[in-house]
Amino acid sequence: MIPQTNPKAAYLAQREAIDAAIRRVLETGWYIQGEEVAAFERDFAAYTGSVHAVACASGTDALILALRGLGIGPGDAVITVSHTAVATVAAIELAGATPVLVDTDEHWTMAPAALEAVLKAWPSGVPKAKAVIPVHLYGQPAAMDEISAIAERHGLILLEDNAQAHGATLQGRMVGRWGKAAAYSLYPTKNLGAIGDGGIITTDDAGVAETLRALREYGWRERYISALAGMNSRLDPLQAAILRVKLTALPADTERRRAIAARYTAGLAGLPGLGLPKIRANAAPVYHLYVVDAGARRDELQARLKTAGVGTLIHYPVPVHLQPAYLGKIALGPGGLPNTERAAKSVLSLPLFPQLPDADVDTVIGAVKAAWAA
Ligand SMILES: *Cc1c(COP(=O)(O)O)cnc(C)c1O
């Protein structure tokens, strides 16, 4: 079976350095925060070109902390997409704010026109919009030029959900560098993954960074004195040490992801009715996922690939606004979310991780062609 993703392969690729990093932390006797976490934050800030990076326990927490750190909470609405990991929307609710969900465009990311439309016809009874969270889904940059212009015109804070797009660029500018802050997940299968949970927030604003550092640890600015009502969301030093090793491989891993994507695109071109990723002009995606649009044949294609020994996943099978926990709670844009609802029925993620050999990519291409012709 060729798996859709394989975090163990990433461990094995750097086994000696990761084992040594783990042993180093074990020997220090320092198991919460400390120099290892600070060093990872410096490394990640340097990688992204950000002034500050603040690590925390997960990507979901990174979003919650970022929202709180930007002063967003009860009485505020936050606009995002429904075609995303549920964490994006969960974080808005957990920060006490009200999510408002808009539709996606042909790149599977926030449609600027849908954002504009919902702001023009703001749903009644919903608090005033204070922020917008575009999601760089699948490693594809959202339309940040248009979205940031709309945000600016409407006085909205721009927070990027960069959980799937570490290092992607639009117009030569990294995603995560367009907004006031960006939240990253370091979940094992993400482009930069820990061996467990992790998250990090980047910002150039020293005041926001200082608030985030307090919020992640009981609101402390000074030990044992809670200046703010905070939480406990710390990145383990063990994970920080592992992530410092993994970060050294990220540029090469990203190039490998792009090479695999290019091989899929060349190998699968021209199959009638099979949609391949549409790349935005001037975008350099990082292919967290390679997602095809199989239309009404999606479930059949997935089943045939499984029989052929090819693992696939669906990101995501149910849009957030149709999930049991969120049904009816969330205000929608006018006209519903047709692209989002269509995506849930038609998308399929093919195997993609940096250690996937070309021979396996070719096997997948052959299996997709055979299944499509059947
Ligand atoms: C993974 C992910 C998150 C949540 O990250 P966790 O580390 O799992 O909490 C948020 N948003 C998106 C788009 C994600 O892919």
Side-chain angles (χ1 to χ4, degrees):
M1 191 78 179
I2 299 174
Q4 193 279 321
T5 187
N6 187 352
K8 185 174 177 184
Y11 163 58
L12 294 178
Q14 292 186 290
R15 181 178 212 158
E16 277 181 31
I18 290 172
D19 287 358
I22 291 170
R23 266 195 310 276
R24 183 177 75 235
V25 174
L26 294 178
E27 293 295 334
T28 62
W30 194 274
Y31 305 139
I32 295 288
Q33 296 286 99
E35 184 43 38
E36 206 69 57
V37 173
F40 172 61
E41 290 176 336
R42 283 195 297 274
D43 291 354
F44 196 74
Y47 172 76
T48 56
S50 308
V51 181
H52 306 280
V54 180
C56 62
S58 72
T60 307
D61 281 1
L63 287 162
I64 297 170
L65 285 163
L67 287 163
R68 292 199 55 196
L70 294 168
I72 297 154
D76 299 324
V78 178
I79 306 167
T80 190
V81 286
S82 184
H83 185 54
T84 182
V86 75
T88 314
V89 180
I92 295 169
E93 290 217 323
L94 288 166
T98 303
V100 170
L101 305 183
V102 299
D103 213 355
T104 47
D105 61 16
E106 73 273 22
H107 305 280
W108 310 121
T109 55
M110 181 180 281
L115 174 62
E116 196 73 90
V118 79
L119 285 164
K120 243 183 220 143
W122 192 247
S124 62
V126 175
K128 198 167 169 289
K130 184 149 180 193
V132 56
I133 308 183
V135 182
H136 307 298
L137 201 72
Y138 307 153
Q140 307 282 350
M144 295 311 295
D145 40 0
E146 292 172 74
I147 291 169
S148 53
I150 296 168
E152 198 168 324
R153 222 177 315 120
H154 290 266
L156 301 175
I157 298 170
L158 184 57
L159 168 63
E160 293 173 74
D161 182 339
N162 212 5
Q164 301 192 2
H166 317 61
T169 63
L170 181 71
Q171 298 167 2
R173 182 169 169 190
M174 250 193 214
V175 296
R177 300 289 301 142
W178 291 75
K180 183 78 177 164
Y184 294 79
S185 170
L186 305 168
Y187 183 86
T189 60
K190 298 291 164 79
N191 290 39
L192 177 64
I195 299 186
D197 272 311
I200 195 161
I201 306 139
T202 56
T203 181
D204 286 355
D205 186 311
V208 171
E210 198 256 351
T211 302
L212 294 172
R213 288 181 200 287
L215 286 174
R216 75 172 165 190
E217 194 165 36
Y218 321 122
W220 288 352
R221 290 201 171 104
E222 179 189 339
R223 200 168 170 84
Y224 302 125
I225 308 295
S226 294
L228 302 169
M231 56 200 265
N232 174 357
S233 181
R234 295 174 297 222
L235 180 71
D236 287 344
L238 272 171
Q239 298 300 346
I242 292 166
L243 286 159
R244 289 177 71 194
V245 175
K246 290 281 205 81
L247 184 57
T248 63
L250 183 56
D253 283 353
T254 297
E255 287 316 309
R256 179 64 193 146
R257 284 178 183 275
R258 288 172 173 157
I260 292 169
R263 203 171 180 91
Y264 275 138
T265 295
L268 297 173
L271 294 186
L274 185 74
L276 303 182
K278 294 188 182 76
I279 308 310
R280 201 179 292 289
N282 302 313
V286 293
Y287 294 98
H288 172 57
L289 297 166
Y290 189 91
V291 178
V292 297
D293 179 348
R297 295 188 67 190
R298 194 269 309 277
D299 292 346
E300 173 210 335
L301 176 62
Q302 184 175 41
R304 286 186 194 277
L305 289 175
K306 188 176 175 194
T307 306
V310 173
T312 58
L313 289 170
I314 295 168
H315 300 93
Y316 296 89
V318 181
V320 181
H321 70 285
L322 299 180
Q323 304 230 354
Y326 297 96
L327 264 181
K329 260 183 145 182
I330 291 162
L332 300 178
L337 306 178
N339 288 348
T340 296
E341 288 172 30
R342 196 189 152 277
K345 296 194 177 86
S346 68
V347 295
L348 191 66
S349 305
L350 301 183
L352 200 166
F353 49 95
Q355 295 75 27
L356 185 69
D358 281 348
D360 284 359
V361 177
D362 293 343
T363 300
V364 175
I365 291 168
V368 171
K369 283 179 157 167
W372 206 248

